[in-house]
Amino acid sequence: MAEKEARSIDQATLEMIEKASQDGARVVFERAETTRACPIGQEGSCCSICAMGPCRVMAPKGKEETLEERRKRVGVCGATPETISARNFVRKIAAGTASHGDHGRVIANFFLSVAKGEAPGYQIKDEMKLLQLAMDFGIPIGDRTNEEIAIDIGKLMVNEFGKQEGELLFLKRAPLKRQKLWRDLGVAPRGIDIEVAEAMHRTHMGTDQDYKDLLESGVKVALADGWGGSMIATELQDIIFGTPQPVLSQINLGVLKEDDVNIIIHGHEPQLAEMLVRVAQDPEMIEYARSKGAKGINLAGMCCTANEMLMRHGEPVAGNFLQQELANVTGALEAMVVDVQCIMQGLVDTAKCYHTKIITTDARAKIQGATHMLFDERNAFESTKAIVRAAIDNYVNRGKNVRIPKYSSPMVAGFSHETINYLMGGMFRASYRPLNDNIINGRIRGVAGVVGCNNPRTLHDAGNLEMVKELIKNDVLVLQTGCMAMASAKAGLMVPEAAAKYAGPGLASVCEAVGLPPVLHLGACIDNSRILIAATAMVKEGGLGDDISDLPVAGAAPEWMSEKALAIGQYVVGSGIFTVFGVNWPTVGNKEVSEYLFKDMESRYGGMWAFEPDPVKAAQLMIAHIDKKRKALGIDQARERVLYDMAMRRALES
Ligand code: NFS
């Protein structure tokens, strides 16, 4: 058991790992033990981009290398370890940007279909955001219908992907100083696809072979994610599906129900999920479920699609990335419906031990052994009904080996840039002023974004929890997305009462005054763009410098695993924010490349990377950076005075 406990701190997860091993079902935790990570690939010292290799160029460990030895430590083509390391790093960023970009492109085209009335069942939900975007882009409003305006916006957004020259439109949202910096450094992206294609070309055998130049191109392609693909996805999804507002829900495998047809939707793009929410409530479908002996239909989410449904509908969340196969292990899941990204192929093998149907729904992502049922946006209601019907039909196949862990936690989610603005400032004077004032007076020391995946190479959920607790204890307000948001929610950090329990006195006093949890859920990974917008809003509000890099803020991904996480990290650093990653670091085998990312980037971008696998130490690095920024702003004194006041107050009370 001691060994099993080393896999997760989440009781529901531990219980299901145990059940999996009793049932003979293999899950990710076990595979991570039997399939060891390749140490050469892990440190970024293997080049496999041509057939003269793969070439392994590791530095000798524990001894000084002579110049002659160093000269020989190159690939067959002569590529230096720096080139190889940087090339690998940039390729990963390009893949991450491509993934978020492809999501954004699908959403932009879908948005256009909705506007043209070609996707029945969907309509524009957030008119205010639509009009705001139209004004941002100079699209005439007048007495035109929302749909006419949306067609113009949709065309403009679709065009961002294939644009060949100029600059991405959303760059204009960044502080002016940041925009100028990007232009001066030559990293302002022209379009989204072009930057991905160029990064793939630069990293092809025999093209860009100057590691610094390669790493700069990594910033350019990453910015095309954060201020491009991801931001387009978030903005357009908000307009079609609604901008999130605070909402109460439940999280963990305990949200599955013994007597219902359980359906989990897992993946990233919310079109199908939105329709599932509707179809699962359809009386005809509920009646059909009853005809098979179930009490009803229970819909829950997994991974980032869960976040999308949670944010807008308060739908329950079954778990984060490492829990996906464990949902099958409950024996109570009729269908795991998936689309794209973060879907483990292992789901199919695990499902074989139970009755769960794995249903793929996207033409870009089929899985051998799964059932493919293509979701058609233009016939959304009917094609979703077919999926739900298949799940219901599977209910009769449920076996006796059912155990749903009794763990689920309440959470408040649904924070967006707009809701933070509103909650802080109030309906009639929505503004970031109170947030900035509380940062200036030191009640809030700074703001941290803690985001990203789970990774079985580190204790599940623990990196997040230790980091977030350390941050809020030190009065740092934490903004979260993705699987890390879920880790905090499971541990009870996303309810207002958590402020009194875990936050430092300054942060707790602000949270209590506004009724906020000390840890705010901003949505899916794509919604890290909300953090960029929030940071920009803080700059524009005034009093905290004139660029994002002046703000007392920091970012982290303590349990990251995906290429998307690297793209996110690089655009956050390129936007001026110090960012620390845990688990392992993809350029750790190369000193020069790591130095560039950890140190040199600061002089160019005002933000830089760090690697620290110990989550508490990583949190302390973030706090030290926040304090450095406070000092530069001249607000470090204010903080000390507030602490003195607190001490005085306590003395008075006693
Ligand atoms: Ni983002 Fe990682 Fe995946 Fe979401 Fe979860 S693993 S980079 S958090 S589900 S995208």
Side-chain angles (χ1 to χ4, degrees):
M1 195 61 200
E3 182 202 319
K4 300 258 159 57
E5 271 165 7
R7 292 163 166 179
S8 179
I9 55 165
D10 174 41
Q11 288 308 314
T13 299
L14 288 173
E15 221 176 82
M16 286 302 102
I17 293 174
E18 188 67 39
K19 183 172 186 293
S21 82
Q22 284 162 9
D23 297 349
R26 293 197 78 207
V27 295
V28 59
F29 294 93
E30 188 195 332
R31 292 191 300 270
E33 278 158 26
T34 50
T35 307
R36 305 306 303 173
C38 163
I40 305 159
Q42 193 179 52
E43 66 164 51
S45 299
C46 174
C47 183
S48 62
I49 64 169
C50 86
M52 294 191 286
C55 299
R56 311 187 312 178
V57 294
M58 309 82 75
K61 305 267 181 288
K63 76 172 181 79
E64 271 300 302
E65 193 177 26
T66 65
L67 273 177
E68 196 48 32
E69 283 168 337
R70 171 81 206 211
R71 244 190 81 211
K72 287 189 189 146
R73 191 159 58 86
V74 291
V76 173
C77 68
T80 62
E82 289 70 51
T83 296
I84 289 170
S85 175
R87 211 150 54 181
N88 287 337
F89 186 65
V90 173
R91 281 215 156 185
K92 290 186 170 80
I93 294 173
T97 302
S99 306
H100 284 149
D102 210 36
H103 174 161
R105 179 203 342 271
V106 164
I107 292 297
N109 282 303
F110 168 70
F111 182 90
L112 206 46
S113 306
V114 174
K116 288 180 181 165
E118 292 166 358
Y122 301 97
Q123 61 265 330
I124 292 157
K125 270 218 182 122
D126 190 337
E127 184 185 30
M128 231 159 58
K129 195 151 183 169
L130 175 89
L131 300 180
Q132 183 59 53
L133 215 54
M135 286 190 289
D136 287 355
F137 295 144
I139 291 171
I141 296 175
D143 51 9
R144 300 169 80 208
T145 65
N146 283 346
E147 286 67 29
E148 285 167 335
I149 296 167
I151 289 173
D152 284 356
I153 292 179
K155 283 183 184 159
L156 212 53
M157 293 292 96
V158 169
N159 188 47
E160 290 294 90
F161 293 90
K163 207 159 80 180
Q164 301 295 306
E165 53 192 23
E167 273 176 18
L168 284 178
L169 291 169
F170 277 140
L171 296 191
K172 295 225 164 32
R173 289 184 155 184
L176 289 173
K177 204 168 159 190
R178 183 69 17 188
Q179 293 180 37
K180 180 170 183 313
L181 180 82
W182 289 333
R183 275 173 213 132
D184 292 349
L185 294 176
V187 296
R190 295 156 290 181
I192 297 160
D193 298 350
I194 193 173
E195 303 308 348
V196 174
E198 189 183 296
M200 292 307 285
H201 176 202
R202 276 172 180 257
T203 53
H204 185 274
M205 189 270 147
T207 308
D208 199 355
Q209 289 160 109
D210 173 333
Y211 77 93
K212 293 183 182 175
D213 201 47
L214 276 162
L215 294 173
E216 291 293 303
S217 76
V219 177
K220 197 176 186 184
V221 68
L223 291 175
D225 177 350
W227 298 87
S230 283
M231 200 171 280
I232 290 172
T234 297
E235 295 296 291
L236 299 187
Q237 286 172 189
D238 278 358
I239 294 172
I240 296 288
F241 305 126
T243 303
Q245 289 178 353
V247 64
L248 185 68
S249 189
Q250 290 282 327
I251 180 164
N252 215 341
L253 289 165
V255 303
L256 296 178
K257 291 186 182 159
E258 198 96 26
D259 301 321
D260 278 6
V261 171
N262 287 305
I263 303 175
I264 286 184
I265 169 87
H266 168 24
H268 283 77
E269 294 171 8
Q271 310 88 299
L272 166 60
E274 285 283 331
M275 201 44 87
L276 267 172
V277 172
R278 211 179 306 168
V279 171
Q281 293 164 2
D282 185 60
E284 183 197 325
M285 284 290 119
I286 295 172
E287 201 37 58
Y288 188 54
R290 290 195 180 132
S291 77
K292 301 283 175 183
K295 274 195 178 153
I297 303 169
N298 180 38
L299 179 65
M302 180 70 69
C303 288
C304 275
T305 301
N307 286 326
E308 300 281 4
M309 291 202 307
L310 165 75
M311 296 287 284
R312 299 194 179 90
H313 302 283
E315 288 291 323
V317 177
N320 54 7
F321 178 67
L322 287 182
Q323 293 181 284
Q324 52 186 287
E325 293 159 312
L326 302 179
N328 295 349
V329 174
T330 62
L333 184 62
E334 274 58 56
M336 172 75 83
V337 182
V338 304
D339 63 349
V340 291
Q341 300 171 23
C342 302
I343 296 146
M344 290 192 199
Q345 188 162 4
L347 278 173
V348 171
D349 188 61
T350 317
K352 282 188 191 137
C353 298
Y354 309 93
H355 73 302
T356 308
K357 236 184 163 71
I358 309 296
I359 302 177
T360 55
T361 60
D362 192 291
R364 294 162 297 173
K366 292 184 183 169
I367 305 177
Q368 215 181 349
T371 306
H372 190 66
M373 299 180 77
L374 188 69
F375 168 65
D376 178 6
E377 290 164 358
R378 292 173 185 237
N379 186 20
F381 195 68
E382 286 308 317
S383 66
T384 307
K385 261 180 155 178
I387 293 167
V388 172
R389 213 173 283 123
I392 295 171
D393 287 339
N394 197 24
Y395 182 73
V396 295
N397 299 322
R398 194 190 279 188
K400 295 253 171 296
N401 183 13
V402 172
R403 193 160 92 227
I404 299 171
K406 299 280 168 260
Y407 298 97
S408 75
S409 308
M411 68 188 299
V412 179
F415 297 96
S416 54
H417 153 68
E418 290 81 355
T419 46
I420 295 174
N421 203 16
Y422 163 70
L423 285 168
M424 287 283 174
M427 175 139 46
F428 299 108
R429 48 182 183 91
S431 104
Y432 271 61
R433 194 70 253 156
L435 176 64
N436 281 25
D437 284 347
N438 279 306
I439 291 174
I440 292 165
N441 71 25
R443 283 195 192 96
I444 296 177
R445 190 171 190 157
V447 180
V450 181
V451 308
C453 336
N454 293 139
N455 188 324
R457 304 282 176 211
T458 185
L459 184 59
H460 175 225
D461 286 352
N464 173 75
L465 201 61
E466 288 175 32
M467 174 180 280
V468 170
K469 279 187 174 167
E470 182 70 13
L471 290 167
I472 58 177
K473 186 175 89 189
N474 285 286
D475 294 315
V476 175
L477 175 69
V478 174
L479 309 182
Q480 296 209 267
T481 60
C483 290
M484 290 297 88
M486 296 176 178
S488 289
K490 282 188 282 176
L493 295 179
M494 288 191 169
V495 286
E497 304 82 69
K501 204 163 163 195
Y502 300 107
L507 176 61
S509 69
V510 177
C511 289
E512 277 158 25
V514 192
L516 280 180
V519 183
L520 304 183
H521 194 326
L522 270 74
C525 250
I526 210 101
D527 298 324
N528 285 320
S529 58
R530 298 191 200 277
I531 299 182
L532 298 178
I533 300 290
T536 304
M538 285 164 72
V539 172
K540 291 189 176 158
E541 190 59 51
L544 292 172
D546 52 11
D547 195 356
I548 296 174
S549 55
D550 295 332
L551 296 171
V553 303
E559 301 180 39
W560 76 281
M561 63 86 201
S562 80
E563 293 168 316
K564 289 179 292 176
L566 284 178
I568 293 164
Q570 184 85 340
Y571 75 62
V572 169
V573 170
S575 300
I577 299 174
F578 169 69
T579 301
V580 52
F581 269 37
V583 194
N584 53 46
W585 180 249
T587 71
V588 80
N590 193 276
K591 203 163 141 264
E592 285 77 2
V593 171
S594 299
E595 290 264 318
Y596 192 82
L597 298 169
F598 297 161
K599 293 209 179 88
D600 300 356
M601 277 188 89
E602 185 173 23
S603 57
R604 295 173 70 76
Y605 295 96
M608 68 292 198
W609 288 93
F611 167 53
E612 175 50 69
D614 179 323
V616 175
K617 282 192 196 149
Q620 283 158 359
L621 290 177
M622 296 161 83
I623 293 166
H625 180 81
I626 284 170
D627 285 351
K628 181 169 101 178
K629 294 295 170 185
R630 294 188 65 86
K631 192 156 193 239
L633 288 166
I635 55 172
D636 50 331
Q637 299 304 320
R639 180 169 165 74
E640 275 159 27
R641 199 172 61 236
V642 167
L643 282 180
Y644 179 62
D645 283 347
M646 287 303 298
M648 270 175 51
R649 223 175 300 156
R650 278 206 203 97
L652 281 175
E653 280 165 10
S654 60

